[in-house]
Amino acid sequence: MPEYKTAGIILAGGTGSRFGSDIPKQFLELCHKRVIEYSIDKFLNLVDFLVIVSHTDWLDFLSFEIIKDRDIRAVIGGDTRQMSVYNGLCVLEKENPRVVAIHDAARPLFSEDLLKRCIDTALTGGAAIAGITSNDSLAREGDGSILHYIDRETAIRIQTPQAFRYGDLYAAHLGARLHGKNDYTDDSQVVFATGTTVKIVKGEETNIKITSPVDLKIAEAILTLSD
Ligand code: CTP
Ligand code: MG
């Protein structure tokens, strides 16, 4: 057993407004299991402590229907994803893990191997994100027209899991809050703003983020095909 501890934070504090269902997308059924349970099962195999960040309206559901008697802590989220992560980090203050991996509950299909590679890279490199290249050409738009093109060869699409040294991520979040910045859309941006190098771990095409109903159908198809 290594002497350092690792932690995971699974983010389920959103309501899935783009998905448009009464039940937030992370709690919908996907091939006989709730979407969030795919992430929970993989994280429990690899981390010492697990925290799930929940929307306040869904805390009871999460506690009684999903967590049940398992050794997982739940905390209420914030108005933005960044604020939700911060609440999760606060819960881990006493445990002070060496590394913390952050993951969107809306991404059920990542592999345990990807999570492990992120954690291992964070242990040696300090910050690690799952990233994949784009098969489409990329451009910046304004007013419905192309402003300029972005070189596809050097662009990546950033996924979760992402792993960080716990102390680095916590300090970076505190700094961002102090500067009134609360809307970073992922944690690599929070630590990058402090000058930390963010290493890229090869992500997975199948690690889609369920955003709209068609993504749930795609996830179902991927799971069925890989059976
Ligand atoms: N999330 C969170 N707290 C927030 C907002 C989002 O914990 N205040 C979580 C979501 O539950 C999700 C992940 O962050 O697992 C990525 O966010 P996204 O895919 O944008 O989910 P939602 O914000 O729920 O969806 P939408 O933007 O369509 O409302
Ligand atoms: Mg959102």
Side-chain angles (χ1 to χ4, degrees), residues 169-216:
L169 185 62
Y170 200 8
H173 268 266
L174 285 170
R177 290 166 67 85
L178 215 59
H179 288 98
K181 178 78 180 155
N182 284 303
D183 59 355
Y184 283 118
T185 52
D186 80 296
D187 295 278
S188 70
Q189 296 171 56
V190 184
V191 296
F192 187 80
T194 68
T196 300
T197 300
V198 179
K199 301 268 190 202
I200 302 161
V201 166
K202 196 171 172 2
E204 296 165 337
E205 285 291 343
T206 47
N207 180 20
I208 59 168
K209 187 166 76 167
I210 293 172
T211 304
S212 53
V214 69
D215 299 317
L216 198 60

Side-chain angles (χ1 to χ4, degrees), residues 11-18 25 78-81 84 104-106 209:
L11 296 170
T15 54
S17 53
R18 286 170 291 178
K25 56 194 183 179
D79 287 345
T80 65
R81 183 188 184 282
S84 289
D104 297 329
K209 187 166 76 167

Side-chain angles (χ1 to χ4, degrees), residues 131-169:
I132 53 172
T133 52
S134 173
N135 296 330
D136 300 317
S137 295
L138 297 169
R140 180 166 297 285
E141 70 92 33
D143 269 343
S145 300
I146 302 279
L147 292 178
H148 62 84
Y149 290 90
I150 296 166
D151 180 12
R152 194 176 68 181
E153 300 304 315
T154 55
I156 59 149
R157 292 155 55 203
I158 298 176
Q159 306 180 327
T160 69
Q162 303 186 349
F164 308 88
R165 293 204 181 117
Y166 173 75
D168 291 353
L169 185 62

Side-chain angles (χ1 to χ4, degrees), residues 33-95:
K33 229 160 114 170
R34 307 265 178 194
V35 167
I36 191 173
E37 283 174 316
Y38 289 87
S39 299
I40 293 173
D41 291 347
K42 285 176 266 204
F43 266 74
L44 283 178
N45 286 337
L46 287 179
V47 299
D48 299 295
F49 313 109
L50 184 57
V51 177
I52 302 179
V53 185
S54 167
H55 190 277
T56 182
D57 294 349
W58 289 87
L59 187 63
D60 281 353
F61 178 82
L62 176 73
S63 304
F64 300 120
E65 300 291 329
I66 308 255
I67 294 180
K68 297 177 185 157
D69 55 1
R70 289 186 287 187
D71 186 14
I72 300 170
R73 265 165 293 174
V75 63
I76 288 170
D79 287 345
T80 65
R81 183 188 184 282
Q82 184 192 321
M83 292 156 100
S84 289
V85 174
Y86 176 76
N87 290 358
L89 291 170
C90 291
V91 171
L92 292 162
E93 212 168 4
K94 195 163 67 67
E95 286 75 14

